[in-house]
Amino acid sequence: MSALLDTAAPLPGLPDPVHDSQAAFRAVMNALARPGKPQKLDTGDFQAPAPLSNTAGAIALSLFDYDTPVWLDAELAGSSQVWQFLRFHTGCPITDDPGEASFALVSDAEHMPPLSSFNQGTLEYPDRSTTIIAMVDKLTGAKAVTLSGPGLKKPAGFNASPLPPSFWNELAAIHAQFPRGVDMLFVTQKQVAGLPRSTRIEMKGR
Amino acid sequence: MTGPAESAREAAEGEYNFAYLDEQTKRMIRRAILKAIAVPGYQVPFASREMPMPYGWGTGGVQVTASILGRDDRLKVIDQGSDDTTNAVSIRAFFEKTAQVETTTQTGEATIIQTRHRIPEKALSQDQVIVYQVPIPEPLRYLEPRETETRKMHALAEYGLMHVKLYEDIARHGHIATTYAYPVKVDGRYVMDPSPTPKFDNPKMHGMKALQLFGAGREKRIYAIPPHTTVESLDFEDHPFKVQTFDRPCAICGAEEVYLDEVILDDRGGRMFVCSDTDHCEERRAAGHVGEAGGNPLEREGAA
Amino acid sequence: MYVAVKGGEKAIRNAHRLLAHERRGDRTVPDLTLRQIVEQMALSVARVMAEGSLYDMELAALAIKQARGDLIEAIFLMRAYRTTLPRFGYSEPLETAKMLVRRRISATYKDLPGGQLLGPTFDYTHRLLDFKLAAEGGEVPEMPELAQPDPQEMPRVTDLLGHEGLIEPDVPEHTPESADEDGEVGDLTREPLSFPAERDIRLQNLARGDEGFLLALGYSTQRGFGRTHPFAGEIRIGEVEVEFFAEELGFAVPLGRVSVTECQMINQFQGSAKAPPQFSRGYGLVFGQGERKAMSMALVDRALRSRELGEEQGAPAQDEEFVLSHSDNVQATGFVEHLKLPHYVDFQAELVLVRQMRREWEERNRQDKADAQEAAE
């Protein structure tokens, strides 16, 4: 990154911080309450610095602050603009240890690190775990897995792409250690879908 | 220069943040709500704030509602099933003042329902959220007062103590003597306190279409039940869980299979039973249902 | 009754009006000014600031006036206001050794560097009602001439003992279970209390805790429920500077002065495998002049250290969960008083059960009697 970019002022935050964060939060809340069902997240004129998407950026500004260590994947960590943007608007500490993170922001979902490297919480405090926000291209396509459990009236198919080939096996393994685990948020340009650790995951074609 | 008393006065004259809480507090509560949804029935600790109403009077529910509430929401607040009990009135007025949101008494019209001690009779929909005010969130508290111990029990799903207690009831009284705050198991994992709703309302929690959020302000805990989640009331094969039944319908609207309040009419044993859910009762009367009292005798009495 | 409940909104409005009316009382009696409360009810103001966790005399006076003199209600008002204030950061630790002392006494030494300084205390007053005060504009004695002692010449008693190595160091070594190895101080108003709680959190909890509750607990340790062999090493009251480290400047800047009361109890400690026999500490610090609270706090602090010091536990004052969970009078008053909210739905549930059990009991009795009669025939 050039020195010029380092000193440039960060892009502005959410235009209406109070109500925009409320809207982003409600979308995320509904996403986790209804696993796999994409929720609309309209970010209006808000612009996050690439490679951070507007939706992921809006969620970040709604939920991060100086109490939440955040882990960034290599692509995001490499952008001083993203770094500056998050630090300036949220004050969140940025950590390079995924095991310390309250939140993880992943822009290159296909190459995300193994899920077991993130904080899984403890049996006594399962809430002290990482929520992973992964930017994906789409939430459609051939269903990779069938979801069931809380939030689902009946089993439903789900897919998000691109993801690492081992992803679903890893996630199923993590969910098997409930209540420890990580919670996933998949975001596209307009939507967010959630996969909390309470969801039971069945691989297709097994 | 403005002194502190002066700035206090300025604050009192209007400039509160939307729904009272500052944004940092809302973020902290929102994060706790997300974890609560992800681990159904688990009590997430949160740094509850002092609210301008006393602890024990719904500060947990109020903080949860304030954190999820948006400009377009329509809020209903009930206490004992009624929109008009003093504390419900006071909490509704608080949100009218600090968030200028629309409020309603009609269950079907509300997007968020904050409640103390009841679940509305009308089934809730998937577009609604119900927020419970919780005094003691720990279902094991009266069996084991120590947080350090109960936390271990939840971690290991070691709930034998609870079954022993319920069974002792049966041995002594022939019944499980718990009539409200009757413990439930959520999604087959966590034993949870449903807040002091009568056990009559427990079955409504099972598979409910709406998201259920629970806030305990003084005890600093938030927990949740996502929609369509299995919620079982603890029981035994030979002593299955049973809800209260009333041997007569509502005197005003004739509703059966609803929870009733007993209203004392005089000091000679005169009493009548009427719907605890006042909106449900009014809706039925508007639809032409009449009970044995032939209208609402209490209302006439009040008008006189 | 049903109808009375329906009038909730109007009833609340009227109750508020009535309250405002009663608060003011007889209009022919002059209205209290905040200045009067600050000046003449200074110890009430101090307690409201201490337990309200907010140092502002004028606001505390306002809270007392609004609460009609109910101090717990006033503390609640302060706390509720405090939560709406923006937070800039944490001050540097107060340096009480540099206090501008108004009162300083030690029960452990007859005389000591800096001397004993009685200051404005009730201690040796005879508790006789002073009817001169009942008359307005009564005579007030002139202020006595005081030499302002130099803080440099008034070291803390515990520091004097420390030079001899006879008292444990001020910052105890971290126990293995200690979470904050970096020495960072926790904050109860930002994070929920969890157990076991470290001493920093315990002290914060006690500083905000109810004076009466701590007084009773401290008293109980003196009567043998978790005895700690305390000596009042030193009690000092005075003003200390508050400093704030400004990141932009790179150094600490003074923000002003606050008045505090500090109590250091010196307690016996038999020693253990790791530590030699030496004195141990109990610590109390509160805003304003609040000697009773600071002393009670120091007693309870020491009692709560029994786990860390490997002492036998079992008395109420040594029970961390019991003490810390019940010390806050704003929480306690809310929950006790919530019993006056309607509970008729739950009461109905109990009525149904008791009636049913009663029927079954009578049925059983009738049956038993019939059986007995049958057997007798």
Side-chain angles (χ1 to χ4, degrees):
Chain A
M1 283 289 125
S2 72
L4 190 70
L5 270 182
D6 283 334
T7 52
L11 286 172
L14 296 167
D16 183 350
V18 170
H19 297 102
D20 292 348
S21 355
Q22 189 271 342
F25 162 72
R26 276 289 271 277
V28 170
M29 180 181 93
N30 289 336
L32 285 175
R34 294 165 205 286
K37 190 175 176 202
Q39 306 288 325
K40 208 168 87 183
L41 177 51
D42 182 6
T43 51
D45 297 334
F46 166 71
Q47 190 90 49
L52 188 63
S53 74
N54 295 345
T55 38
I59 293 173
L61 265 47
S62 306
L63 293 174
F64 298 0
D65 56 29
Y66 45 81
D67 289 331
T68 57
V70 172
W71 180 88
L72 303 175
D73 74 355
E75 218 179 304
L76 291 166
S79 158
S80 61
Q81 272 212 314
V82 167
W83 197 288
Q84 238 183 6
F85 180 80
L86 292 175
R87 291 281 302 148
F88 181 80
H89 292 296
T90 75
C92 67
I94 290 175
T95 174
D96 51 13
D97 177 1
E100 291 249 302
S102 300
F103 288 95
L105 269 175
V106 177
S107 69
D108 181 9
E110 199 172 358
H111 298 106
M112 64 192 278
L115 293 175
S116 57
S117 61
F118 295 99
N119 193 345
Q120 319 282 313
T122 63
L123 274 180
E124 282 169 352
Y125 290 96
D127 54 305
R128 297 179 181 170
S129 56
T130 310
T131 300
I132 302 169
I133 303 166
M135 289 173 240
V136 293
D137 295 342
K138 52 184 187 171
L139 294 169
T140 50
K143 302 304 178 201
V145 287
T146 302
L147 312 177
S148 62
L152 291 140
K153 191 175 179 188
K154 51 182 198 289
F158 181 71
N159 198 5
S161 57
L163 288 171
S166 61
F167 180 82
W168 293 112
N169 278 319
E170 281 179 42
L171 193 65
I174 284 208
H175 285 200
Q177 47 164 15
F178 184 89
R180 296 180 66 230
V182 295
D183 306 307
M184 295 292 314
L185 291 171
F186 300 103
V187 296
T188 65
Q189 290 302 323
K190 295 267 174 237
Q191 290 182 316
V192 52
L195 267 191
R197 71 193 76 171
S198 59
T199 304
R200 293 179 265 283
I201 293 169
E202 202 187 313
M203 248 65 72
K204 286 277 183 186
R206 282 241 181 135
Chain B
M1 206 181 125
T2 48
E6 212 160 307
S7 51
R9 206 160 39 241
E10 277 162 24
E13 275 165 10
E15 284 310 301
Y16 281 113
N17 199 11
F18 179 80
Y20 184 78
L21 295 178
D22 59 282
E23 291 305 299
Q24 204 281 327
T25 301
K26 283 185 198 165
R27 268 196 302 274
M28 177 269 295
I29 294 172
R30 285 168 181 167
R31 292 193 297 257
I33 291 172
L34 297 182
K35 295 290 185 191
I37 293 170
V39 190
Y42 165 73
Q43 305 163 48
V44 183
F46 80 110
S48 174
R49 301 288 195 247
E50 263 101 4
M51 297 298 286
M53 58 196 66
Y55 281 118
W57 296 51
T59 55
V62 167
Q63 289 179 82
V64 169
T65 298
S67 302
I68 65 174
L69 192 70
R71 271 183 299 207
D72 302 331
D73 276 308
R74 206 172 302 117
L75 179 68
K76 172 181 166 83
V77 183
I78 49 173
D79 188 335
Q80 314 295 297
S82 165
D83 301 87
D84 297 301
T85 35
T86 38
N87 204 42
V89 168
S90 166
I91 290 172
R92 187 166 54 242
F94 174 76
F95 283 112
E96 280 167 353
K97 183 173 170 188
T98 59
Q100 296 95 40
V101 288
E102 209 182 316
T103 58
T104 180
T105 59
Q106 293 176 32
T107 302
E109 293 292 303
T111 56
I112 297 173
I113 299 170
Q114 179 169 331
T115 181
R116 176 169 171 263
H117 293 195
R118 274 314 309 280
I119 300 174
E121 305 291 359
K122 190 192 198 98
L124 301 184
S125 76
Q126 59 166 12
D127 301 319
Q128 296 179 305
V129 181
I130 180 165
V131 179
Y132 298 78
Q133 299 172 201
V134 183
I136 302 278
E138 178 50 71
L140 305 166
R141 176 67 67 236
Y142 299 117
L143 308 174
E144 169 53 68
R146 277 167 209 289
E147 151 87 10
T148 33
E149 292 300 316
T150 55
R151 187 163 288 282
K152 267 183 231 149
M153 293 179 193
H154 285 296
L156 304 170
E158 180 51 65
Y159 295 123
L161 198 60
M162 182 62 98
H163 281 97
V164 169
K165 193 265 171 194
L166 295 176
Y167 212 85
E168 275 173 1
D169 273 7
I170 295 173
R172 194 170 311 150
H173 316 287
H175 299 277
I176 292 175
T178 304
T179 58
Y180 59 91
Y182 190 102
V184 295
K185 191 175 242 181
V186 181
D187 192 33
R189 176 56 175 80
Y190 281 99
V191 166
M192 189 197 93
D193 181 288
S195 89
T197 47
K199 67 178 179 177
F200 180 87
D201 285 338
N202 276 22
K204 295 176 186 164
M205 306 178 97
H206 172 69
M208 187 191 277
K209 286 181 182 166
L211 169 64
Q212 305 176 64
L213 299 176
F214 300 78
R218 190 178 38 75
E219 299 281 339
K220 303 179 169 48
R221 296 289 184 275
I222 286 172
Y223 51 104
I225 305 176
H228 308 293
T229 298
T230 307
V231 179
E232 305 152 279
S233 301
L234 301 185
D235 66 355
F236 300 93
E237 257 174 43
D238 50 343
H239 280 270
F241 173 79
K242 273 196 296 245
V243 300
Q244 290 98 344
T245 53
F246 294 85
D247 39 18
R248 55 187 113 181
C250 169
I252 301 173
C253 77
E256 291 181 43
E257 287 169 19
V258 294
Y259 196 80
L260 301 176
D261 292 338
E262 181 171 335
V263 181
I264 309 275
L265 296 171
D266 53 44
D267 58 2
R268 299 174 305 277
R271 67 195 65 203
M272 64 188 270
F273 286 83
V274 300
C275 281
S276 138
D277 183 339
T278 50
D279 174 59
H280 185 70
C281 197
E282 274 162 35
E283 199 175 295
R284 281 181 53 86
R285 273 186 292 149
H289 296 280
V290 183
E292 58 180 24
N296 187 352
L298 299 165
E299 231 161 49
R300 276 204 297 277
E301 207 172 278
Chain C
M1 172 195 148
Y2 205 62
V3 187
V5 167
K6 286 233 147 206
E9 224 146 316
K10 196 172 160 200
I12 289 176
R13 259 200 319 274
N14 281 339
H16 290 173
R17 276 179 61 181
L18 190 58
L19 173 67
H21 176 79
E22 298 263 310
R23 188 203 62 70
R24 176 61 181 85
D26 185 345
R27 304 288 206 277
T28 62
V29 176
D31 198 12
L32 265 178
T33 67
L34 300 191
R35 217 53 235 150
Q36 284 173 329
I37 297 172
V38 169
E39 293 299 322
Q40 297 174 46
M41 297 279 145
L43 301 193
S44 291
V45 168
R47 181 174 173 194
V48 170
M49 294 195 304
E51 292 170 35
S53 271
L54 183 63
Y55 193 92
D56 188 313
M57 293 184 203
E58 210 179 326
L59 279 182
L62 173 60
I64 291 168
K65 181 175 177 176
Q66 187 178 331
R68 309 177 66 192
D70 179 338
L71 295 190
I72 292 184
E73 182 69 24
I75 289 161
F76 182 16
L77 288 168
M78 285 291 265
R79 292 265 193 98
Y81 178 69
R82 180 187 190 276
T83 40
T84 65
L85 299 175
R87 180 180 298 255
F88 299 114
Y90 295 92
S91 75
E92 295 292 294
L94 299 183
E95 188 45 90
T96 53
K98 292 188 188 154
M99 181 186 284
L100 290 173
V101 163
R102 284 195 296 137
R103 167 166 165 81
R104 186 263 200 136
I105 52 162
S106 168
T108 49
Y109 293 98
K110 183 172 187 205
D111 200 7
L112 67 169
Q116 309 259 15
L117 191 66
L118 274 185
T121 175
F122 291 123
D123 281 355
Y124 304 101
T125 62
H126 297 140
R127 270 55 166 208
L128 302 168
L129 278 175
D130 181 0
F131 291 101
K132 287 202 295 288
L133 286 178
E136 278 174 60
E139 248 175 66
V140 181
E142 286 297 309
M143 172 151 165
E145 256 179 61
L146 296 179
Q148 179 57 56
D150 182 350
Q152 301 298 336
E153 288 162 16
M154 205 179 262
R156 286 183 300 211
V157 168
T158 45
D159 295 343
L160 300 175
L161 269 176
H163 294 320
E164 226 182 312
L166 283 180
I167 191 163
E168 59 177 341
D170 211 356
V171 182
E173 277 167 49
H174 283 290
T175 48
E177 73 239 50
S178 163
D180 48 357
E181 284 144 19
D182 48 1
E184 213 170 275
V185 178
D187 183 353
L188 273 177
T189 67
R190 312 287 291 173
E191 273 167 47
L193 182 62
S194 62
F195 299 106
E198 291 300 316
R199 194 171 176 212
D200 52 346
I201 291 291
R202 297 199 304 253
L203 285 169
Q204 185 189 13
N205 177 290
L206 298 179
R208 287 160 61 90
D210 182 71
E211 178 174 317
F213 179 73
L214 297 189
L215 176 65
L217 281 175
Y219 177 44
S220 73
T221 66
Q222 288 180 283
R223 289 196 65 261
F225 287 80
R227 190 160 177 227
T228 58
H229 307 269
F231 293 95
E234 182 175 357
I235 295 160
R236 48 169 65 197
I237 304 176
E239 314 252 293
V240 285
E241 193 123 74
V242 181
E243 292 188 324
F244 183 76
F245 186 84
E247 223 171 302
E248 307 84 53
L249 298 176
F251 56 84
V253 289
L255 297 180
R257 282 190 188 148
V258 296
S259 154
V260 295
T261 303
E262 181 185 60
C263 172
Q264 299 233 43
M265 288 286 177
I266 299 174
N267 307 68
Q268 202 187 81
F269 176 54
Q270 316 268 343
S272 65
K274 277 181 286 175
Q278 58 183 338
F279 292 107
S280 58
R281 296 165 187 257
Y283 188 74
L285 183 78
V286 294
F287 284 150
Q289 183 169 351
E291 214 162 287
R292 188 187 301 121
K293 166 79 183 272
M295 293 177 78
S296 305
M297 178 176 167
L299 289 174
V300 178
D301 169 49
R302 177 60 183 77
L304 287 176
R305 296 183 60 208
S306 55
R307 171 170 50 97
E308 161 202 347
L309 296 173
E311 295 167 332
E312 198 184 326
Q313 290 174 68
Q318 295 168 327
D319 187 329
E320 176 179 293
E321 272 209 58
F322 177 77
V323 173
L324 303 187
S325 304
H326 301 115
S327 62
D328 191 297
N329 55 26
V330 178
Q331 289 174 10
T333 202
F335 201 47
V336 166
E337 294 195 29
H338 108 286
L339 288 173
K340 60 195 169 187
L341 289 179
H343 281 78
Y344 56 79
V345 161
D346 290 347
F347 186 67
Q348 188 66 46
E350 297 280 278
L351 265 181
V352 170
L353 178 71
V354 171
R355 280 184 184 138
Q356 185 190 350
M357 295 199 325
R358 182 69 176 255
R359 262 198 312 275
E360 287 165 358
W361 182 84
E362 280 163 2
E363 180 57 35
R364 265 201 312 277
N365 265 13
R366 235 191 332 269
Q367 196 60 47
D368 288 353
K369 248 182 231 157
D371 290 350
Q373 205 160 10
E374 215 170 276
E377 275 167 10

